[in-house]
Amino acid sequence: QQQVKQSPQSLIVQKGGISIINCAYENTAFDYFPWYQQFPGKGPALLIAIRPDVSEKKEGRFTISFNKSAKQFSLHIMDSQPGDSATYFCAASMNTNAGKSTFGDGTTLTVKP
Amino acid sequence: DSGVTQTPKHLITATGQRVTLRCSPRSGDLSVYWYQQSLDQGLQFLIQYYNGEERAKGNILERFSAQQFPDLHSELNLSSLELGDSALYFCASSAWQGLVTGELFFGEGSRLTVL
């Protein structure tokens, strides 16, 4: 049973546009929601993370929006750049072992110049 | 550079064989996690060690085993290999067992190809 569903599978955005990736989770015990960015040939790297006590977190051009009642969270990339082209993974974990994460299947983002 | 080192980067072997993947965590990190990334299943948590002891198990096959040594490096042993075991195997480390940020630092992975 997949506990974190991510969409879309792939996304093409023009330079300067907004990229939006969505995730939905099932387990209400999850309380830590990170997003990871992965470039080809590299391991995933933490981009931004949120806990359910806030509805939004912003770091530079990257924003997480969190809807606890709907059990959904999303990543917004403002002013998308070609250098943002990568695979993005959402994840969810519990505070009892936040490193044991359940990952979404990933979204391949392509930002066209 | 995450500070997590994995070897080998690439490995090609035959069905039925056994391989060992090695991971050195970031300096000072006590927790090591192993994840499998395959084309059709994304990142799947396999197993976690904390300061030498197994702490959590995920979807790890019985043919797979892992351990963490006193110097905190970890090894993932894969035996009786099947074609379906072909995947990227990532090691990640974190400072704590789970609290605080929960941030994982991933290595660059070991790509296993089973022919």
Side-chain angles (χ1 to χ4, degrees):
Chain A
Q1 180 186 13
Q2 183 181 9
Q3 295 189 54
V4 178
K5 293 185 178 181
Q6 183 172 347
S7 62
Q9 190 173 19
S10 62
L11 181 62
I12 300 174
V13 174
Q14 290 294 127
K15 178 182 176 181
I18 303 173
S19 303
I20 301 174
I21 305 171
N22 300 300
C23 282
Y25 63 98
E26 299 169 5
N27 189 344
T28 55
F30 287 146
D31 55 9
Y32 176 70
F33 302 91
W35 285 89
Y36 286 84
Q37 180 187 55
Q38 184 180 25
F39 292 104
K42 301 292 185 183
L46 181 68
L47 187 62
I48 186 172
I50 196 169
R51 294 194 182 275
D53 52 346
V54 296
S55 60
E56 186 175 282
K57 182 174 181 180
K58 184 176 180 179
E59 290 185 3
R61 296 184 294 107
F62 301 90
T63 300
I64 299 180
S65 297
F66 185 81
N67 186 328
K68 188 174 181 178
S69 61
K71 293 186 286 184
Q72 295 175 348
F73 58 110
S74 60
L75 175 70
H76 292 65
I77 306 174
M78 311 300 288
D79 188 26
S80 298
Q81 299 296 313
D84 297 331
S85 297
T87 300
Y88 292 82
F89 293 94
C90 62
S93 61
M94 291 180 277
N95 199 40
T96 51
N97 192 345
K100 179 188 171 186
S101 297
T102 299
F103 283 78
D105 285 344
T107 296
T108 301
L109 171 66
T110 302
V111 181
K112 296 204 163 186
Chain B
D1 182 8
S2 68
V4 177
T5 303
Q6 288 188 249
T7 57
K9 290 192 182 300
H10 301 277
L11 191 55
I12 301 174
T13 189
T15 54
Q17 295 299 303
R18 172 190 170 95
V19 298
T20 297
L21 309 180
R22 181 188 170 101
C23 169
S24 294
R26 287 190 323 157
S27 177
D29 282 358
L30 299 179
S31 270
V32 170
Y33 304 79
W34 286 97
Y35 282 83
Q36 180 190 54
Q37 185 177 37
S38 53
L39 281 175
D40 58 348
Q41 290 193 349
L43 276 158
Q44 299 288 320
F45 169 74
L46 295 178
I47 196 164
Q48 177 209 358
Y49 278 81
Y50 177 78
N51 203 21
E53 293 188 6
E54 181 185 305
R55 283 304 174 96
K57 248 182 177 179
N59 300 320
I60 188 167
L61 300 172
E62 286 190 8
R63 301 183 284 109
F64 297 179
S65 64
Q67 59 186 134
Q68 186 179 28
F69 295 86
D71 66 353
L72 300 178
H73 92 272
S74 177
E75 292 181 356
L76 179 67
N77 300 296
L78 315 175
S79 62
S80 302
L81 286 167
E82 302 175 358
L83 295 178
D85 298 327
S86 296
L88 258 176
Y89 291 86
F90 283 105
C91 169
S93 73
S94 70
W96 303 97
Q97 181 181 352
L99 302 182
V100 192
T101 66
E103 179 174 0
L104 294 175
F105 295 88
F106 283 85
E108 295 193 346
S110 291
R111 180 173 293 282
L112 172 66
T113 302
V114 182
L115 300 177

